[in-house]
Amino acid sequence: MILAKVIFGTLIVIIFTSLLKLKYSNGLRIIEKTIIIFLLLTSLVLVLKPSILQFFADFLDIQRGRDLLFYIYILSSIWLLFRCHLRINQLNQSINRLVSKISILESIIKK
């Protein structure tokens, strides 16, 4: 168990430091970066002290802490899916506007 804590803790720290190196121009918004940093810090705390997860599970009347973690994963996956869907739609609209402008400009140039 201690080896797993060391491995997961090291991986979380590596991801955390690489996340800090990302710039805003890489498409990661400040709020998203803040949420990811919060999740990484929370996961580091849960790796080091798993009894905290059981405490919150007992508070929410869930039998096992692992179930609570799974429920949180489901909610975060739905949020990510919704966020990606919105982003894809936004990119699609941008591409459509760009293609329309290019075709209008090409028709003007050919005349």
Side-chain angles (χ1 to χ4, degrees), residues 29-71:
R29 294 185 176 147
I30 299 297
I31 188 73
E32 292 171 341
K33 195 172 184 179
T34 305
I35 290 170
I36 292 172
I37 288 173
F38 174 75
L39 289 174
L40 285 173
L41 291 176
T42 303
S43 62
L44 181 63
V45 169
L46 291 177
V47 164
L48 297 176
K49 191 80 168 162
S51 61
I52 295 172
L53 193 60
Q54 185 61 42
F55 172 77
F56 285 115
D58 291 339
F59 178 74
L60 296 172
D61 200 25
I62 298 173
Q63 289 183 349
R64 298 182 303 176
R66 292 172 288 195
D67 292 341
L68 175 63
L69 189 62
F70 184 67
Y71 299 149

Side-chain angles (χ1 to χ4, degrees), residues 4-99:
K5 287 183 179 182
V6 170
I7 290 171
F8 287 128
T10 305
L11 287 174
I12 290 170
V13 168
I14 289 170
I15 293 170
F16 179 74
T17 55
S18 65
L19 180 66
L20 290 177
K21 294 178 184 178
L22 287 177
K23 297 179 182 174
Y24 181 73
S25 62
N26 290 342
L28 196 62
R29 294 185 176 147
I30 299 297
I31 188 73
E32 292 171 341
K33 195 172 184 179
T34 305
I35 290 170
I36 292 172
I37 288 173
F38 174 75
L39 289 174
L40 285 173
L41 291 176
T42 303
S43 62
L44 181 63
V45 169
L46 291 177
V47 164
L48 297 176
K49 191 80 168 162
S51 61
I52 295 172
L53 193 60
Q54 185 61 42
F55 172 77
F56 285 115
D58 291 339
F59 178 74
L60 296 172
D61 200 25
I62 298 173
Q63 289 183 349
R64 298 182 303 176
R66 292 172 288 195
D67 292 341
L68 175 63
L69 189 62
F70 184 67
Y71 299 149
I72 292 170
Y73 171 75
I74 290 172
L75 291 175
S76 62
S77 295
I78 290 171
W79 172 76
L80 181 62
L81 179 68
F82 183 70
R83 173 73 180 101
C84 288
H85 178 71
L86 291 177
R87 181 75 175 146
I88 289 170
N89 283 343
Q90 182 183 19
L91 289 173
N92 192 16
Q93 289 175 355
S94 298
I95 289 171
N96 287 340
R97 281 193 300 264
L98 183 61
V99 168

